[in-house]
Amino acid sequence: MATGYQMPKNFLWGGAVAAHQLEGAWQAGGKGVSIADVMTAGKNGVPRQVTDGVVAGESYPNHWGNDFYHRYPEDVQLFEELGMKCFRTSIAWTRIYPNGDEAQPNEAGLKFYDDLFDDLLAHGIQPVITLSHFEMPYHLVKAYGGFSNRKTIDFFLRFAKTVFKRYKDKVKYWMTFNEINNQTAWDDPHPLLQDSGLQLGPNDNWEQAMYQAAHYELVASALAVQAGHAINPDFQIGCMIAMCPIYPLTAKPADVMMAERAMQKRYWFGDVHCWGEYPKWLPKYFERQGFDMDITDEDLATLKAGTVDYVGFSYYMSFVTKGKDHDHDFNFKEPEDFVENPYVEKSDWGWQIDPTGLRYSMNWMQDRWHLPQFIVENGFGAYDQKTAAGEVHDDYRISYFRDHIKAMEEAVALDGVDLIGYTPWGCIDLVSASTGEMAKRYGFIYVDANDDGQGSFDRSKKDSFDWYQRVIASDGVDL
Ligand code: P53
């Protein structure tokens, strides 16, 4: 037990998930195939494969998730017992527009979220909603090239307006694109598909394609912000940034400059979302690389008019980089320019554990973007063991949360960071986005299912459940 700083009474303590990682029921109620539905199961260190459509005989963990679609009433009761004030999830685009390019939405999909949101609200829990969380309709990838195509802006906007109108009295906090900046690692097909629906070939310029798709997404986000505010002026619409600060390995000036460029390359997405304009270095970089970008004056005006209300972000880990001698371009490239941090420990999946990095990040973002923040993901993926008595003693998870919540509270109480709330990732066990495993567990609530989708899917409380319940009940004092 440790003592933390008291958070305000209206602070949004909660939990976070994404539709495709827990709902399952991949074809229920007329749902279409999403990009998550064509991703096979991977393992720790073994990447997931993307198949050409759903192929018989392959294993697709998102098809069953943790069966939330059928079991959510029980889960919502557990969330209430935990004391959660809010629940962050996403709306599966393919439940609303199964192929993405229909003129009319699918009523059965809309009804599912009406029922879910009503149930949450009846239990005193407000939904916090991500519009696009790694689950674009697969048809938009195949027929239009995802966000490589300007047309996809219109498809996204149609989806956004449909759900803004439908849920305008049930949802206040929204986010446009989940972890839009994961695609900084532009030569990895995984984030390119998840963020932007890109499937590129050997003759494409992958880096340019990433910047172009990200530009269209930022325009789509800015249009959605404007549309949302017109539908309900009380909406708070944020961006969602994967925040992993990048430190210089040493005080060597080249290391420091490389880390600065690394931060610019990973966080310019946030500059555009928050400032409504591109940072100065980036057009220069496009010029040097010879990228001929489709960025119109109208786009620039749209970006300026559609800045976000708050910064939603995930925080799991920090990174480290170092400079190259005699390289004045400082052309940081992720992940090959990352080096090990000798000062921190790692999870079993190699994620570096750094609570101080959370406080550092919150200060950095406050100084740079001057907006309220919302920690919409933070957590510890681990192999949990169930005892013979059916208990899970996840003291390692409690210890991760204790240190990170303490750092968060210091950023608020000592540094004055303006923070709306905190929603730990995977408050109930679900399918991992990067590996497709169930075994990489994050939850306070255990789900009895393995990587192959076998098990009773019964829910039970881990030790961390009682611990987080006390944290919320004490407004963050009892850590
Ligand atoms: P998993 C990479 C780095 C940081 C966060 O991740 C990331 C990723 C991509 O996997 O993703 C976010 O399940 C994401 C969630 C995801 C969660 O972090 O790979 O928003 O969808 O599940 C944890 O362990």
Side-chain angles (χ1 to χ4, degrees), residues 21 133-134 178-179 316 351 377 425 432-434 440 442:
Q21 288 172 259
H133 192 134
F134 304 168
N178 185 65
E179 294 191 336
Y316 292 90
W351 291 23
E377 288 183 30
W425 176 251
S432 157
S434 56
K440 190 181 187 188
Y442 285 88

Side-chain angles (χ1 to χ4, degrees), residues 110-230:
L110 288 167
K111 169 108 180 19
F112 170 72
Y113 292 105
D114 260 324
D115 294 347
L116 171 63
F117 299 164
D118 287 345
D119 195 41
L120 286 162
L121 291 166
H123 287 82
I125 301 170
Q126 65 165 297
V128 170
I129 298 302
T130 317
L131 293 170
S132 180
H133 192 134
F134 304 168
E135 55 208 355
M136 177 188 283
Y138 184 57
H139 175 73
L140 293 185
V141 174
K142 295 299 274 188
Y144 300 91
F147 268 105
S148 69
N149 191 333
R150 192 178 266 279
K151 269 194 197 147
T152 300
I153 297 176
D154 297 334
F155 299 134
F156 173 77
L157 201 61
R158 188 181 302 167
F159 163 59
K161 283 183 183 167
T162 301
V163 297
F164 282 156
K165 282 186 197 147
R166 179 81 170 212
Y167 309 120
K168 70 179 169 35
D169 299 320
K170 298 181 183 177
V171 178
K172 175 177 174 184
Y173 288 98
W174 302 84
M175 275 160 272
T176 52
F177 291 94
N178 185 65
E179 294 191 336
I180 189 169
N181 59 327
N182 279 352
Q183 54 193 323
T184 304
W186 52 261
D187 61 359
D188 179 349
H190 196 71
L192 283 187
L193 180 65
Q194 287 186 323
D195 276 338
S196 297
L198 298 186
Q199 286 193 317
L200 303 175
N203 296 325
D204 292 311
N205 183 326
W206 289 37
E207 185 180 16
Q208 181 174 349
M210 180 281 282
Y211 280 110
Q212 187 63 63
H215 173 72
Y216 291 149
E217 280 161 59
L218 290 161
V219 170
S221 173
L223 289 168
V225 169
Q226 293 175 71
H229 287 155

Side-chain angles (χ1 to χ4, degrees), residues 16 88 128 175 240 312-314 374-378 423-425:
R88 174 183 177 234
V128 170
M175 275 160 272
M240 201 308 205
F313 69 98
S314 63
F374 199 157
I375 303 176
V376 294
E377 288 183 30
N378 172 235
T423 60
W425 176 251

